[in-house]
Amino acid sequence: MRIVQAANFVSPISGGLRTCLEALRHGYAEAGHEPVLIVPAARDGEVDTPVGVELRVAAPRVPGAGGYRVITDGARVERLLRRLRPGSLELSDRSTLVGLGPVARGLGARAVGLNHERLDALLARHVPWLAGGRRLAARWARRTAAGLDVVVCTTGWAAAEHVDAGVTNVVRVPLGVDLARFHPAHADVGLRSRLAGEGPLLVLASRLSAEKRPAIALDALRRLVARGVPATLVVAGDGPLRATLEAEADGLPVVFLGHLADRDRLAALLASADVALAPGPVETFGLAALEAMASGTPVVGSQQGALPEVVGADGGRLAYGHGAAFAAGARALLEAGSPARAGARRRAEGFPWSLTVERMLALHTGDPGRWPAHPLPEPGPRTPAVVRHSVGAGGPAR
């Protein structure tokens, strides 16, 4: 079966979305299917890859988004879809490409939406002054879901937006991690020594943008150093806030590596660190955190968003949205030592990509009965998607 994956907000330095698309493509190809990827780019192009064709559609940059592009010529993509005649469409976009779902169904194909963000949370964070933002997000969720056979959310927190909006064709399929590439055995003593000397090594693997709250990691490091912990923070990632963060880090033991395109280099860094920080409060899954856990590095993750579902009881600690809480969580994990590292790896082993691929293929083939559905949250009143940050001491929570 030909499976067409269409996505916006994908670039050469993309993080979780690009990782997800590539992992699924490889899984589909290994299962005997033909994946075709459609993504925005600076210019039109067609690239043959070991696992299928990648079609690039010329698209403008989104101002202030650090290089991301969005396809504005929806008719062009519709023509591509009609030419490709897929057996199923996998749509990783809730913006300009949402019209592709009805097109695919009109061609007799399945239409599967794979959600990577929670619109109500993003609106609350970026435009808090917008009246009726949650109602707007609910209307958009219903509209997009109506054009799809199924809406896939990766966690219960991500699905709650749709459940509360009354969407009934939503299922939960957790993402996965490459358990061979991200493994404790890839720790590099020499790399660790060059980066942090003899002191603790913290890592932030994240896009440096407002919704990821990377400044919390700097604040946490500042507090640890002030308490006599000789830690170093390594930042692996790039984005619109990099220059600002570099200025704020002046005088602190921080190393900015930029985006690490070499996944093996990233794996070595994660396995060599003592603690990974994941302060983003609106993560719908948290692939970077899961990759750290698979590498045997426990995570201090945001108490908000989906990270509690991924980190669980064994993967690390949870903290509220300020540096004091993240510093306390990091210190607790440093003191825990080897048992915390073993727990992180054990937790990650429950998320193999093979299981994600199997479940997604069941949806693409129209046979979801092949695997038990994950329970979804019950609709009804709940706390806001973005809650107010605690102003107290904020010790870590399990």
Side-chain angles (χ1 to χ4, degrees):
M1 178 175 63
R2 177 175 290 163
I3 301 174
V4 172
Q5 298 170 291
N8 270 319
F9 301 101
V10 179
S11 77
I13 61 170
S14 293
L17 177 53
R18 170 69 80 169
T19 299
C20 174
L21 291 170
E22 291 300 319
L24 291 176
R25 292 180 78 201
H26 279 82
Y28 298 159
E30 289 175 0
H33 299 282
E34 179 191 355
V36 177
L37 179 62
I38 301 175
V39 292
R43 59 187 63 85
D44 290 341
E46 182 173 324
V47 180
D48 288 321
T49 76
V51 292
V53 174
E54 180 176 312
L55 299 176
R56 298 173 180 174
V57 178
R61 291 179 182 268
V62 179
Y68 279 134
R69 299 175 183 272
V70 170
I71 298 171
T72 55
D73 188 356
R76 168 78 191 285
V77 185
E78 181 178 334
R79 289 194 295 271
L80 286 175
L81 202 62
R82 294 186 183 278
R83 188 191 84 191
L84 291 167
R85 306 292 299 190
S88 188
L89 168 71
E90 182 178 289
L91 185 60
S92 290
D93 182 61
R94 298 179 67 189
S95 60
T96 63
L97 302 180
V98 294
L100 294 181
V103 173
R105 296 171 79 181
L107 296 172
R110 296 273 295 170
V112 177
L114 180 53
N115 285 355
H116 300 273
E117 71 286 306
R118 186 165 157 170
L119 182 58
D120 61 347
L122 292 175
L123 289 175
R125 178 155 296 278
H126 292 292
V127 285
W129 45 262
L130 179 65
R134 289 176 67 84
R135 291 193 300 273
L136 175 64
R139 287 197 298 270
W140 193 248
R142 289 191 292 269
R143 176 181 172 182
T144 55
L148 300 166
D149 290 291
V150 65
V151 176
V152 178
C153 294
T154 56
T155 57
W157 185 82
E161 174 187 20
H162 301 273
V163 174
D164 285 350
V167 174
T168 58
N169 58 334
V170 58
V171 300
R172 182 160 66 94
V173 178
L175 299 183
V177 63
D178 186 335
L179 291 166
R181 167 171 281 165
F182 295 95
H183 192 281
H186 299 315
D188 186 330
V189 175
L191 173 65
R192 177 191 171 82
S193 177
R194 289 192 300 274
L195 291 172
E198 299 298 320
L201 175 59
L202 312 181
V203 64
L204 172 69
S206 172
R207 176 172 166 75
L208 304 182
S209 55
E211 70 276 7
K212 301 291 187 179
R213 300 296 303 278
I216 290 177
L218 295 185
D219 190 27
L221 175 69
R222 186 177 294 110
R223 292 170 182 273
L224 288 169
V225 171
R227 293 196 173 206
V229 180
T232 297
L233 173 66
V234 174
V235 180
D238 212 336
L241 292 183
R242 178 169 178 175
T244 300
L245 293 167
E246 287 180 332
E248 291 180 2
D250 187 38
L252 286 173
V254 182
V255 179
F256 287 87
L257 297 179
H259 173 71
L260 298 184
D262 186 336
R263 300 284 286 166
D264 291 333
R265 186 182 173 199
L266 174 62
L269 172 64
L270 292 177
S272 303
D274 295 294
V275 175
L277 305 179
V282 293
E283 298 286 353
T284 53
F285 188 77
L287 269 178
L290 183 58
E291 288 170 349
M293 289 156 54
S295 303
T297 299
V299 172
V300 184
S302 174
Q303 179 74 51
Q304 303 168 47
L307 280 169
E309 298 178 52
V310 176
V311 174
D314 293 330
R317 295 292 180 103
L318 301 174
Y320 290 98
H322 50 81
F326 275 79
R331 194 164 185 170
L333 291 175
L334 290 173
E335 293 172 354
S338 296
R341 300 187 66 85
R345 174 65 187 186
R346 184 168 59 249
R347 175 66 176 173
E349 287 173 348
F351 294 87
W353 272 120
S354 59
L355 191 56
T356 306
V357 170
E358 178 184 354
R359 291 169 171 172
M360 288 299 296
L361 282 176
L363 296 174
H364 281 302
T365 59
D367 184 19
R370 289 170 49 193
W371 53 272
H374 279 263
L376 290 172
E378 292 296 326
R382 62 184 70 249
T383 55
V386 180
V387 300
R388 182 173 298 153
H389 297 153
S390 168
V391 295
R398 290 295 290 184

